[in-house]
């Protein structure tokens, strides 16, 4: 008993330490102002808080008891209540890991942005403040146990990201990307506000514990389907599920390196966290919810990878790939719900385990890839494939780390990308066999086919990105000037690449560590379902074989590399010209471009991606240098632009006319507002 009390005190102290370091570090950055010391303050504060938070999340995950903290702070209609359980810990682990990496990179990345970018001087204090505030808001959102507190942290997180995304506010494209993100974030919060307002009205309290108690009653929620739809739209917008992904390409392309690591690897996960948290509070589930999750997950994964395949900018390729990976997780979650409703406990644990492992893996390899692409951007000021090439010869460390990330995201052993997907595949097979010849069984096979198509196109997408960007010859002067980043950034990439390789061998241990939580979470979603940690034995065996296969592949590559070096030492190394296709002086123009590499798929996928291909007509014996141009418009973004963003922009332009700069006019506005409120109040009375 004394040991449990002592451990509880330690956990509470660590919770306050994390929160105090983040908030105190942000306040200290504001006090330091424009001085460069504010960057060091933010870096050390976030790094220290991340180390404490990671340890706290790790202890909480393996603990059987939840940490609950109630602060005597006033909130409108709510209470300041925090809770840290295993579900929160799963999302806090990648958050604090990547926050620590981003914090260590923060000072050097800001200086590199000033050196290679267009910004002459950045307000260091404000940037450090918003970085600390962002990490604190994400921590509070995951641990909040009250709806009002959750929405408060959710909005602060969106505002913090808005001020961090665009450092170059003079660039119209970056301003527009930040504006799109802010509008989408606030519109995505509106369904969540309606969701929690409806739940508060029925439960009589805004605390999550009251929601769970109300769901356990015989009556349950009156409009559970509508509540699920509101949660799905609100949290799906934050995760970037198609067609709510419109903020992703611009925001990911604008954010600096230390922000994009946290942005792409941790923030998008919080949409999945919110969806899982609400599902655990809604009580008995419905099969229509499962089919809806599977359908949107399939749509997001397929269209996401199709759009990623045809992009000419590496950052936009990675952005659309995030929509694809979030779709895979959503598809696995929907399949787990459907399997649970049919009583297939083994399939439920395999699918949930695959979803959580893929979430962790995606955080690692996507952060690694964005960091590598950001290094290319800082060195060359170019990220389009048509102007890159030959980077692996000039920046081998960065190129090797990006190669590991591409192998991981394409699901190629011995990296970790295929580990979670393998469990999802097996969960779909086991679920279809358990359900026999029913309609749910057919939906599992359709999901299996969808994931197979996504895996094939993902392999092609990142073969294209790495091959055209890092192999071959340089296509521009900027590409020839690439240099390795500073040692700290290189060490961060090597660290993330090592984790991508190491996770493949840790798969069985991670799954067995997740087993107790998976069984508790599945029983919370499906109370009648008989689930035990022993149901993950099949998954553990599969991952053990996968780890052995990865070890064999690494050993084979090691032997081949050793034999090659031995032969070179014995016979010497000779260099010569590659096959020149009949040309005496081959040049970089003879290489594939991004458009020519993906042209066949653009034609094949024309009904879905609506590619615009302009092929010039050659005339004369010696025609000039014509160029074939292929553009891939995001037609979802075009629809949102016409229906939402353009009207909002027009309204905003009209509202600006109310700002006259005259104090007496503003006093008149206040007087009119007060009189309107008075008349409204008297009318109701």
């Amino acid at each position: 008993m004394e040991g449990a009390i002592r451990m509880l005190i330690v956990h509470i102290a660590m919770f306050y330490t994390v929160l105090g370091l983040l908030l105190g570090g942000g306040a200290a950055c504001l006090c330091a102002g424009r001085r460069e010391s504010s960057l060091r303050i933010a870096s050390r504060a976030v790094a220290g808080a991340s180390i404490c938070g990671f340890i706290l999340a790790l202890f909480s995950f393996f603990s059987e008891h939840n940490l609950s903290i109630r602060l005597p702070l006033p909130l409108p209609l709510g209470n300041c209540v925090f809770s840290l359980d295993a579900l929160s810990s799963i999302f806090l682990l990648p958050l604090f890991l990547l926050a620590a990496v981003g914090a260590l990179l923060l000072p050097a990345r800001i200086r590199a942005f000033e050196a290679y970018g267009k910004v002459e001087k950045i307000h260091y204090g404000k940037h450090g403040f918003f970085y600390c505030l962002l990490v604190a808001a994400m921590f509070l959102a995951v641990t909040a146990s009250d709806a009002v507190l959750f929405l408060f942290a959710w909005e602060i997180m969106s505002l913090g990201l808005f001020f961090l995304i665009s450092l170059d506010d003079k660039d119209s494209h970056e301003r527009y990307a930040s504006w799109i993100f802010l509008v989408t974030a606030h519109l995505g919060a509106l369904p969540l506000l309606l969701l929690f307002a409806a739940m508060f009205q029925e439960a009589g309290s805004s605390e999550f514990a009251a929601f769970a108690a109300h769901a356990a009653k015989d009556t349950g929620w009156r409009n559970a389907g509508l509540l699920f739809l509101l949660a799905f739209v609100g949290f799906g917008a934050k995760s970037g599920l198609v067609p709510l992904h419109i903020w992703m390409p611009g925001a990911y392309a604008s954010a600096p390196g230390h922000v994009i690591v946290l942005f792409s690897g941790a923030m998008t996960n919080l949409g999945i966290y919110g969806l899982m948290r609400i599902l655990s509070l809604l009580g008995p589930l419905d099969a229509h919810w499962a089919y809806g999750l599977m359908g949107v997950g399939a749509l997001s994964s397929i269209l996401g990878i199709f759009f990623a395949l045809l992009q000419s900018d590496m950052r936009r390729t990675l952005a659309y790939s995030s929509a694809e990976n979030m779709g895979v997780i959503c598809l696995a979650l929907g399949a787990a719900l459907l399997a649970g409703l049919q009583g297939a406990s083994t399939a439920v644990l395999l699918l949930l385990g695959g979803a959580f492992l893929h979430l962790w893996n995606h955080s690692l390899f996507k952060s690694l890839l964005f960091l590598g692409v950001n290094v290319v951007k800082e060195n060359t000021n170019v990220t389009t494939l048509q102007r890159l090439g030959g980077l692996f010869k000039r920046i081998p460390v960065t190129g090797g780390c990006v190669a590991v990330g591409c192998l991981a995201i394409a699901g190629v052993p011995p990296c970790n990308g295929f580990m979670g997907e393998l469990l999802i595949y097996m969960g779909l097979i086991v679920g279809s066999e358990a359900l026999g010849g029913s309609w749910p069984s057919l939906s599992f096979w359709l999901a299996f086919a969808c994931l197979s198509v996504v895996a094939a196109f993902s392999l092609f997408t990142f073969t294209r990105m790495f091959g055209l960007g890092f192999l071959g010859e340089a296509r521009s002067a900027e590409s020839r000037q690439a240099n390795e980043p500073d040692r700290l950034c290189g060490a961060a990439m090597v660290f993330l690449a090592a984790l991508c390789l190491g996770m493949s061998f840790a798969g069985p241990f991670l799954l067995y560590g997740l087993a107790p939580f998976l069984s508790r979470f599945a029983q919370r979603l499906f109370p009648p379902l008989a689930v035990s940690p022993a149901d993950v034995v099949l998954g553990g065996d599969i991952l053990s074989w996968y780890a052995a296969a990865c070890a064999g592949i690494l050993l084979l590559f090691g032997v081949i590399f050793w034999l090659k070096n031995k032969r070179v030492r014995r016979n010497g190394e000779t260099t010569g010209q590659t096959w020149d296709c009949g040309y005496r002086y081959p040049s970089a123009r003879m290489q594939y471009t991004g458009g020519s590499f993906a042209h066949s798929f653009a034609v094949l996928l024309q009904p879905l991606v609506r590619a615009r291909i302009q092929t010039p007509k050659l005339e004369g014996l010696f025609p000039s240098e014509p160029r074939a141009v292929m553009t891939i418009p995001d037609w979802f973004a075009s629809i949102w632009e016409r229906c939402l963003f353009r009207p909002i922009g027009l309204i905003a332009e009209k509202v600006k006319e109310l700002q006259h700069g005259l104090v007496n006019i503003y006093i008149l506005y206040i007087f009119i507002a007060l009189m309107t409120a008075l008349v409204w109040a008297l009318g109701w009375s």
Side-chain angles (χ1 to χ4, degrees):
M1 185 65 180
E2 293 181 359
I5 295 175
R6 190 180 299 111
M7 185 60 66
L8 178 62
I9 294 174
V10 171
H11 285 179
I12 294 175
M14 293 181 70
F15 181 91
Y16 284 122
T17 301
V18 172
L19 200 56
L21 283 173
L22 294 174
L23 298 180
C29 289
L30 287 181
C31 294
R34 295 181 179 272
R35 290 192 294 271
E36 193 172 348
S37 59
S38 59
L39 295 180
R40 294 192 295 271
I41 293 172
S43 176
R44 293 167 184 173
V46 175
S50 299
I51 294 173
C52 294
F54 190 87
I55 296 173
L56 174 63
L58 202 61
F59 284 159
S60 177
F61 178 75
F62 290 105
S63 176
E64 297 181 358
H65 304 286
N66 300 335
L67 175 64
S68 182
I69 298 175
R70 184 181 295 268
L71 297 180
L73 297 177
L75 281 179
L77 303 177
N79 301 306
C80 198
V81 183
F82 301 94
S83 179
L84 185 59
D85 56 7
L87 180 62
S88 302
S89 301
I90 286 177
F91 290 86
L92 286 177
L93 289 173
L95 166 61
F96 284 125
L97 176 66
L98 298 176
V101 173
L104 295 176
L105 295 176
L106 191 152
R109 300 279 60 76
I110 290 294
R111 288 192 291 269
F113 193 89
E114 289 180 336
Y116 294 100
K118 304 175 184 178
V119 180
E120 297 179 358
K121 194 65 175 178
I122 298 172
H123 195 295
Y124 297 143
K126 291 181 180 179
H127 189 81
F129 167 75
F130 283 115
Y131 195 80
C132 294
L133 188 66
L134 171 63
V135 180
M138 295 173 72
F139 175 58
L140 293 178
V142 176
T143 57
S145 189
D146 183 271
V148 177
L149 180 63
F150 177 85
L151 289 174
F152 182 72
W154 197 259
E155 281 298 297
I156 292 179
M157 179 178 66
S158 299
L159 289 174
L161 275 171
F162 169 73
F163 288 105
L164 291 173
I165 286 175
S166 176
L167 293 180
D168 186 8
D169 54 5
K170 296 181 181 179
D171 191 323
S172 60
H173 295 287
E174 293 195 6
R175 286 201 311 270
Y176 184 74
S178 302
W179 182 76
I180 291 293
F181 169 77
L182 186 64
V183 172
T184 308
H186 282 82
L187 290 178
L190 181 59
L192 300 182
L193 181 62
L194 297 176
L195 164 72
F196 289 125
M199 297 179 78
F200 174 80
Q201 185 179 12
E202 284 196 50
S205 174
S206 59
E207 295 188 21
F208 290 170
F211 294 164
H214 183 78
K217 296 180 181 179
D218 296 334
T219 56
W221 301 100
R222 289 195 298 268
N223 299 304
L226 178 60
L227 297 179
F228 169 77
L229 180 61
L230 291 172
F232 187 60
V233 173
F235 292 118
K238 185 63 68 177
S239 292
L241 295 173
V242 176
L244 305 173
H245 68 290
I246 49 175
W247 58 269
M248 273 183 147
Y252 280 18
S254 302
H258 60 285
V259 176
I260 198 63
V261 166
L262 191 60
F263 194 4
S264 63
M267 195 279 290
T268 51
N269 294 346
L270 298 192
I272 302 296
Y273 163 77
L275 190 59
M276 290 185 173
R277 178 67 70 184
I278 292 300
L279 284 174
S280 66
L281 299 176
L282 287 181
L285 305 177
D286 191 280
H288 296 91
W289 305 0
Y291 286 120
L293 283 172
M294 293 179 69
V296 175
L299 177 71
S300 183
S301 58
I302 290 178
L303 290 182
I305 197 61
F306 285 173
F307 280 116
L309 168 64
L310 302 174
Q311 299 301 310
S312 60
D313 188 283
M314 290 195 293
R315 294 174 299 178
R316 293 179 68 87
T317 296
L318 295 177
Y320 282 108
S321 173
S322 292
E324 173 251 321
N325 281 278
M326 291 298 107
V328 170
I329 296 172
C330 185
L331 177 60
L333 180 58
L337 296 181
L338 189 58
L341 291 172
Q342 303 297 326
S345 60
T346 303
V348 170
L349 293 189
L350 287 174
L351 290 165
L352 287 178
F356 283 116
L357 289 180
H358 191 70
L359 184 139
W360 281 348
N361 292 329
H362 175 259
S363 298
L364 293 176
F365 59 65
K366 186 56 63 67
S367 300
L368 170 62
L369 286 171
F370 265 116
L371 191 56
V373 171
N374 190 263
V375 168
V376 175
K377 171 66 175 177
E378 291 176 354
N379 280 269
T380 66
N381 204 28
V382 173
T383 54
T384 54
L385 296 175
Q386 283 80 354
R387 299 180 62 188
L388 293 174
L391 292 175
F392 194 77
K393 301 174 184 177
R394 295 165 178 82
I395 46 174
V397 175
T398 301
C401 293
V402 172
V404 171
C406 288
L407 289 174
I409 198 171
V412 178
C415 296
N416 61 334
F418 190 60
M419 183 174 66
E421 294 178 355
L422 181 59
L423 285 184
I424 296 174
Y425 281 123
M426 292 307 302
L428 293 173
I429 294 174
V430 171
S432 64
E433 292 179 350
L435 301 181
S438 60
W439 282 107
S441 176
L442 177 60
S443 66
F444 281 1
W445 284 113
L446 291 176
F448 188 96
C450 171
L451 289 181
S452 301
V453 171
V454 169
F457 277 91
S458 180
L459 178 61
F460 190 86
T461 298
F462 290 97
T463 300
R464 170 181 177 266
M465 191 188 87
F466 184 79
L468 299 182
F470 286 83
L471 302 181
E473 293 296 329
R475 296 179 176 85
S476 65
E478 295 91 340
S479 183
R480 297 186 187 94
Q481 297 172 359
N483 296 306
E484 292 285 10
D486 55 273
R487 292 183 179 180
L488 190 59
C489 184
M493 288 190 293
V494 171
F495 172 69
L496 292 175
L499 287 179
C500 288
L501 289 171
M503 287 278 283
S504 298
F505 304 101
F509 306 102
L510 294 173
L511 182 61
Y512 286 130
L514 280 171
F517 161 73
L518 293 177
S519 60
R520 294 195 304 268
F521 187 68
Q523 288 174 344
R524 187 187 307 173
L525 295 178
F526 315 101
L529 188 65
V531 180
S532 68
D535 289 329
V536 301
V537 172
L538 175 62
D541 293 340
I542 293 171
L543 292 184
S544 297
W545 282 104
Y546 179 73
C550 291
I553 292 172
L554 282 179
L555 180 62
L556 177 62
F557 275 106
V559 171
I560 293 174
F561 185 76
W562 177 74
L563 292 175
K564 173 183 175 296
N565 286 343
K566 182 178 179 181
R567 182 177 179 181
V568 168
R569 286 194 301 268
R570 184 175 66 247
N571 301 328
E573 186 174 5
T574 59
T575 59
Q577 202 171 32
T578 57
W579 179 49
D580 55 11
C581 304
Y583 289 86
R584 180 64 185 90
Y585 299 105
S587 66
R589 291 185 59 197
M590 298 171 57
Q591 301 177 133
Y592 273 110
T593 63
S596 61
F597 200 91
H599 179 268
S600 299
F601 287 99
V603 175
L604 178 65
L605 304 173
Q606 179 66 21
L608 292 175
V609 299
R610 302 181 183 181
R612 299 172 184 171
I613 303 174
Q614 298 177 357
T615 304
K617 184 179 180 180
L618 302 181
E619 297 179 352
L621 296 177
F622 301 98
S624 58
E625 296 184 359
R627 293 180 179 272
V629 179
M630 182 176 69
T631 57
I632 311 296
D634 189 337
W635 49 278
F636 284 110
S638 301
I639 294 174
W640 283 106
E641 172 73 21
R642 290 194 301 269
C643 299
L644 182 64
F645 297 119
R646 192 175 300 169
I648 290 177
L650 293 175
I651 294 172
E653 288 294 331
K654 295 296 182 182
V655 172
K656 284 168 57 178
E657 298 178 0
L658 298 176
Q659 297 180 354
H660 299 280
L662 301 176
V663 177
N664 54 349
I665 297 295
Y666 295 152
I667 294 175
L668 177 62
Y669 292 160
I670 296 172
F671 176 76
I672 293 173
L674 289 175
M675 292 301 297
T676 303
L678 181 60
V679 171
W680 179 79
L682 292 176
W684 276 100
S685 62

